Amino acid sequence: MDIIKVGLLVVSDRASSGIYEDGAMPELQAVLDGYIKNPIIYHKELIADELELIKAKLIFLSEVGCELILTSGGTGPAPRDLTPEATEAVCEKMLPGFGELMRSVSLKSVPTAILSRQSAGIYRRSLIVNLPGNPKAIRECLEPIFPAIPYCIDLIGGGFIENREENIQIFRPKK
C-alpha cells in the first residue's frame, strides 16, 4: 500500500496570528483519516492571507512530494481572500468542476454559497483543492468531490489511494 503525502494549508490572518484557535486543520485531517486507508504523511501549514506566501507554500508542498494539497480559507469575496488567485497563479491546469460541485452542494445549506470561490487545479504532480475555512463546510464540500480525487491523482502520477469503503465510495473507470 502506497504512503500518501498530503499538504494541509490553512489560510487565515486571525488564526495565524493567534486571535482564535484554528479548527480547519483538525477537521481536514479527521475527514481524510476517515476516507483514506493508506498511511498518510501530513505536511501542515497555517499562514496569513498573503498572495505571495500562499503561492510559495503551495509550491513548497508540491516540491516535498504532496500528491494532494488541501487549502482551507481565503475563498470568499473579501479583499484579503486570495487563495484561489494563488492557486490559479501556480497551477498549470485548472479543474473548475471541483468548485462547481462544492458550491452546488453548499447552496443546499446556505444561500451565501454563491459567494464562495473554491477551485482546484494541477501543479506538477499535485492536485490542489481550495476548501472553505469553516470546519463544518470542509466536510460538506469534501464529501461530494472526494470520489474523483484518487483517480485524478492516478492520472497525474501520484500514489494509489485506497478508500475506507465504510466511509466513502470512490470512482475509477473500469479498464
Side-chain angles (χ1 to χ4, degrees):
M1 188 177 295
D2 290 342
I3 296 172
I4 305 301
K5 289 186 180 177
V6 175
L8 302 178
L9 178 62
V10 174
V11 180
S12 169
D13 285 335
R14 292 177 291 169
S16 67
S17 65
I19 293 173
Y20 67 77
E21 188 174 335
D22 169 58
M25 189 78 70
E27 183 65 12
L28 287 166
Q29 186 168 341
V31 173
L32 291 178
D33 286 345
Y35 287 175
I36 299 174
K37 192 184 294 188
N38 308 59
I40 304 171
I41 296 173
Y42 288 104
H43 296 273
K44 302 177 187 179
E45 301 277 347
L46 172 59
I47 62 170
D49 288 277
E50 294 179 21
L51 183 65
E52 294 305 318
L53 180 58
I54 300 166
K55 287 166 40 178
K57 290 298 182 180
L58 291 172
I59 291 167
F60 168 77
L61 290 168
S62 180
E63 287 175 350
V64 298
C66 294
E67 292 118 318
L68 176 60
I69 300 169
L70 299 180
T71 72
S72 176
T75 60
R80 300 240 340 132
D81 289 335
L82 300 169
T83 306
E85 286 78 7
T87 299
E88 192 165 339
V90 165
C91 286
E92 296 135 356
K93 294 180 181 177
M94 295 304 294
L95 301 169
F98 281 89
E100 293 164 6
L101 180 55
M102 287 187 277
R103 278 185 292 282
S104 72
V105 167
S106 294
L107 273 169
K108 294 174 185 169
S109 301
V110 12
T112 54
I114 60 172
L115 301 176
S116 184
R117 300 178 311 116
Q118 288 109 325
S119 62
I122 305 297
Y123 174 68
R124 296 187 178 170
R125 296 176 81 178
S126 300
L127 169 61
I128 300 171
V129 179
N130 301 148
L131 297 164
N134 179 298
K136 178 182 173 276
I138 289 169
R139 183 174 297 272
E140 182 179 82
C141 288
L142 259 177
E143 186 174 359
I145 65 167
F146 192 84
I149 287 175
Y151 183 57
C152 182
I153 291 174
D154 293 348
L155 293 172
I156 61 173
F160 189 83
I161 294 177
E162 297 182 44
N163 60 306
R164 295 185 187 279
E165 292 182 15
E166 66 276 16
N167 296 333
I168 193 88
Q169 297 301 307
I170 62 170
F171 178 80
R172 286 187 170 98
K174 292 183 171 53
K175 295 185 179 189

